Amino acid sequence: MAKSSSPSATPSKVSPAPNIDMPSQVMKPATLLSFLWDNFSPEHLSEADLQFLSLASEEASSLSQWLARHVVGVGCLIDTDRQEVTPFVRSGALQDDDQPALLNFIATQIETIGEIARIGGEASFMLRNRLTSGGTHE
């Protein structure tokens, strides 16, 4: 029987890989980014690599603004759909059971954006320290 390659609607529990001392976590983009950043040695990156990663903070800012605009739009659509003034124009989209799933998805996106911002900030800090100390690491 072939396994489905589509991701599940809910995050899956993962067990740590053998020989890695890491507690089981729910696999989400933010936990993956955190695991990767925290388990590799960014101090060995070149200045160009740190500069690239430091741009993640700007990307996180753009992502958060984009997400905010879309969340407001969805909120307005739900609000309009629920108004009694237009009872025959209701779409029924994002009602009842759909709302918790949407809110969980948005929370995951916000958490991921926060992790991207953290990585960008740490890379920027490391780059500034390296440049002010006069040490290069190309």
Side-chain angles (χ1 to χ4, degrees):
M1 184 172 174
K3 273 190 164 179
S4 171
S5 62
S6 64
S8 64
T10 58
S12 59
K13 276 285 208 185
V14 293
S15 299
N19 302 323
I20 295 178
D21 186 26
M22 183 180 126
S24 294
Q25 295 186 25
V26 174
M27 178 52 74
K28 298 185 290 185
T31 55
L32 175 62
L33 289 171
S34 179
F35 174 81
L36 293 173
W37 178 258
D38 294 340
N39 288 287
F40 92 108
S41 302
E43 62 274 359
H44 298 296
L45 293 175
S46 69
E47 289 176 10
D49 290 339
L50 286 172
Q51 176 65 35
F52 171 75
L53 288 174
S54 71
L55 296 175
S57 296
E58 293 174 29
E59 181 63 16
S61 176
S62 296
L63 286 170
S64 67
Q65 291 171 14
W66 179 88
L67 181 60
R69 282 194 306 271
H70 284 78
V71 169
V72 167
V74 168
C76 290
L77 287 172
I78 292 170
D79 184 51
T80 300
D81 205 35
R82 288 183 168 184
Q83 290 180 8
E84 294 295 325
V85 190
T86 57
F88 301 109
V89 186
R90 292 184 180 170
S91 71
L94 295 172
Q95 300 298 322
D96 304 321
D97 293 342
D98 293 335
Q99 289 176 358
L102 175 65
L103 293 174
N104 284 326
F105 174 76
I106 291 169
T108 297
Q109 299 311 306
I110 292 168
E111 186 179 23
T112 301
I113 290 168
E115 190 59 28
I116 291 169
R118 180 183 78 93
I119 290 170
E122 288 186 19
S124 185
F125 176 78
M126 292 176 77
L127 181 61
R128 277 193 307 274
N129 279 347
R130 188 178 294 171
L131 294 175
T132 57
S133 69
T136 59
H137 208 274
E138 293 293 331

